[in-house]
Every structure is written in C-alpha cells, then in structure tokens.
Amino acid sequence: MTDTWLNETLYADWGQRFRIKRELARVQSDFQDIVIFESHTHGRVMTLDGVVQITEADEFVYQEMLAHVPLLAHGAARRVLIIGAGDGGVLRRVLQHNSVEQAVMVEIDGEVIRLSKEHLPRIGGIAWTDKRAEVIVGDGIDYVRRAADARFDAIIVDSTDPIGVGEVLFTDEFYRDCARILTERGVLVNQCGVPFMQADELRETSRRRAQFFPDVSAYVAAVPTYVGGFMTLGWSAKAPGLRHIPAETLRERAQAAGILTQCRYWTPQIHAAAFHLPPYIAEHLPG
Ligand code: SAM
C-alpha cells in the first residue's frame, strides 16, 4: 500500500509534510476546508485550507504561551475574551487560572468546534463544560464591535492568518474595538505568524495596533510545526510595564493561579526571556 502524505500548502516553494496513518475527518465548511488525521509522528493533526493549525504533540508550546503570558503579566485577570481558537486549547489553559471568573470564546466556524470535540477531545478537555466558559459561534469582529467598554482584562486572538475569514481580525477597526473593550490594565495578544517567512504579517499588525495601544511589542515561542523558526505573538497593552514583570513575581503569580506545575513549555524564565527579540524580528516592530 502506498503511503499517503499531507503536504502543507502555506508556502509555495517550501513546506513540511506528514505521513498519514488514518484520516479522521474531512469537511468543507461554510468557511474553510477542515481535515483531521492521525499522523505517525505528531499524534492527531488539524489543517484548515491545507495549513497546519494544531498537532497533539506540540500544541502545548503555543497554547501555554498564548494563554499564560498575558494572564500572568496582568496578574489579576478575571474576564477573558478568546477569538478563534476553535480547538479549545486556549480555553482550557485560560480556565486553568483560578482567578478567571469568565472566559468568552468567539469562533466563526462551528464545524471546527464540533470536529475538535469529536476527534481532538484532549485539546479542549473539560473546558467545554466549565461553567465559567461561554462559547459563541460568530465573527470576532462583530462581537468586539458590540461589546461594552472596559469589559475584559485580556483578549487572546488565536486566529488563522490574515487571509479569508481571518483577515478582519488584523484590521484597524478590530484593534480599535479591542482597545475600547479592555480595562485600563488590559492586554491584547494575537498570533502574528513566523517572521522568518511572514515578516509582513508581524510588521503590518504591529503598525496597526500601535495606533490604539501605548505599549506594542511581541514575544516568541518555538512551535515545531509552525515551520520557519520562532512563532511571534503580538503584545499590546494599555498600561506600561506589564511585559517587564520579574521572573520571581511571575513564579509567585503562577503558583497562586494554580498553573505552575501544569506547564511543559511556560516557565517564569521562558516568559521573561520571550520578550527579548533577535534583531531580525525586532526590526519589524514600530520604533
Ligand atoms: N494556532 C493556529 C495558528 O496560529 O494558525 C490557529 C488555530 S485556531 C483553530 C484558528 C481559528 O480561527 C479557526 O478555527 C478559524 O475558524 C478561526 N477564525 C478565523 N477567522 C475568524 C473570525 N473572523 N472570527 C472568529 N474566529 C475566526
């Protein structure tokens, strides 16, 4: 029997491939082509329009850095808004924080949620039934447009790239509303791609966010299946100083939040170091 491979289509002239053990789902939703398969190397994998979104083997890297960094930098986050993240991994990490009273997740594609619950149950886990969770199927830009001022302590955008349905989440209108619905010490983090291959994405989103947030920067995480080196996560804060919290304070906060022993990537030192960017990445940030 010939081997079947999934060749990622993110970059035209370069990419990764997975030998498929078993295909579990293939659905063309109203928004995108969803495929979930069992791989020989990374457990179960989900792709959207041919682009790797998540693998069971390395999702902890990205999800821990996307969820824990803004919440521990803030230090007392109670209400969190999550945009995208239909696999449920960010929701689970956010709800690990016992300070969180409410987590609202707005995912545009209900099929991503349905198929993730069915074929990637470990990713979202118990978060789907947590009474602090409110899961809404809808467009993130509509949700932030309608939300009340100063409603959230943190906004976490785990979206696809700025192509197709994800494009609106990289606009001035979206960032303006995010700034409006965050509290005074509010923080926005968003996936900004792999700058070695997607420098325009980081530069453009940073320039746009800097119009509405006094403190704009980025931090990095090494996600094996987001190929091309460091993945960048955009940082936008309404108050200065939140990205320079000493590692010892971060440790105390992680202990109090109940997550210190639950991490495989995030540590206080990794958190503090992640904001120290190599020049080939820092050069894309506003001066
Ligand atoms: N971590 C992955 C990455 O960095 O490429 C993203 C994973 S997550 C599954 C991306 C989710 O964003 C998808 O489920 C997609 O449907 C959702 N999404 C895209 N555009 C959206 C929008 N405008 N509003 C809400 N969710 C959106």
Side-chain angles (χ1 to χ4, degrees):
M1 193 179 82
T2 52
D3 287 338
T4 319
W5 293 83
L6 180 280
N7 295 296
E8 187 179 39
T9 57
L10 181 54
Y11 308 116
D13 307 317
W14 178 67
Q16 63 181 329
R17 63 179 191 158
F18 296 79
R19 190 154 67 90
I20 296 176
K21 192 184 281 183
R22 193 161 59 96
E23 186 171 289
L24 302 165
R26 177 180 291 274
V27 170
Q28 179 59 51
S29 77
D30 295 345
F31 304 98
Q32 50 215 341
D33 181 26
I34 310 168
V35 176
I36 301 180
F37 62 90
E38 187 84 44
S39 71
H40 285 272
T41 48
H42 292 73
R44 294 184 173 193
V45 177
M46 176 166 66
T47 65
L48 296 177
D49 294 338
V51 178
V52 173
Q53 301 296 308
I54 193 163
T55 83
E56 287 180 317
D58 68 358
E59 59 89 31
F60 66 93
V61 178
Y62 175 80
Q63 314 268 24
E64 289 179 14
M65 291 301 276
L66 201 56
H68 299 330
V69 170
L71 299 191
L72 294 170
H74 183 284
R78 294 180 300 121
R79 296 192 301 266
V80 180
L81 173 62
I82 302 164
I83 306 273
D87 51 72
V90 172
L91 183 65
R92 179 159 68 82
R93 269 48 176 231
V94 165
L95 292 171
Q96 285 175 342
H97 292 251
N98 45 35
S99 67
V100 170
E101 295 165 6
Q102 186 188 26
V104 178
M105 185 183 117
V106 182
E107 161 60 59
I108 199 167
D109 194 337
E111 285 296 279
V112 171
I113 297 175
R114 180 179 70 80
L115 293 166
S116 297
K117 286 180 177 176
E118 187 179 344
H119 299 294
L120 299 167
R122 283 198 307 239
I123 306 261
I126 55 169
W128 296 116
T129 53
D130 190 306
K131 63 182 183 338
R132 297 170 295 167
E134 183 187 352
V135 176
I136 298 168
V137 175
D139 194 331
I141 198 158
D142 295 336
Y143 184 87
V144 297
R145 188 184 294 132
R146 282 196 287 266
D149 294 6
R151 171 96 173 65
F152 293 101
D153 300 304
I155 300 176
I156 300 173
V157 184
D158 174 25
S159 74
T160 41
D161 288 320
I163 312 160
V165 280
E167 207 168 342
V168 290
L169 305 179
F170 293 81
T171 58
D172 289 358
E173 184 200 347
F174 178 73
Y175 296 135
R176 181 185 298 113
D177 276 323
C178 284
R180 178 182 58 77
I181 68 174
L182 280 166
T183 53
E184 274 318 301
R185 293 183 67 256
V187 176
L188 163 71
V189 296
N190 66 312
Q191 79 93 355
C192 293
V194 172
F196 189 79
M197 298 298 292
Q198 301 169 302
D200 296 350
E201 187 171 327
L202 175 62
R203 195 173 36 250
E204 191 52 19
T205 172
S206 305
R207 184 186 66 72
R208 289 179 182 277
R209 285 177 285 117
Q211 301 169 101
F212 310 106
F213 291 88
D215 184 31
V216 165
S217 185
Y219 58 103
V220 293
V223 185
T225 56
Y226 294 162
V227 291
F230 278 131
M231 173 76 175
T232 41
L233 302 164
W235 168 271
S236 311
K238 292 175 76 168
L242 293 185
R243 64 185 152 95
H244 301 302
I245 310 288
E248 198 35 47
T249 309
L250 293 169
R251 171 183 300 284
E252 287 155 14
R253 289 181 180 178
Q255 185 101 47
I259 64 128
L260 194 56
T261 56
Q262 302 192 50
C263 298
R264 295 180 57 212
Y265 187 89
W266 184 94
T267 69
Q269 292 75 14
I270 288 274
H271 175 143
F275 287 96
H276 295 281
L277 303 172
Y280 88 90
I281 296 179
E283 68 186 17
H284 299 297
L285 298 178

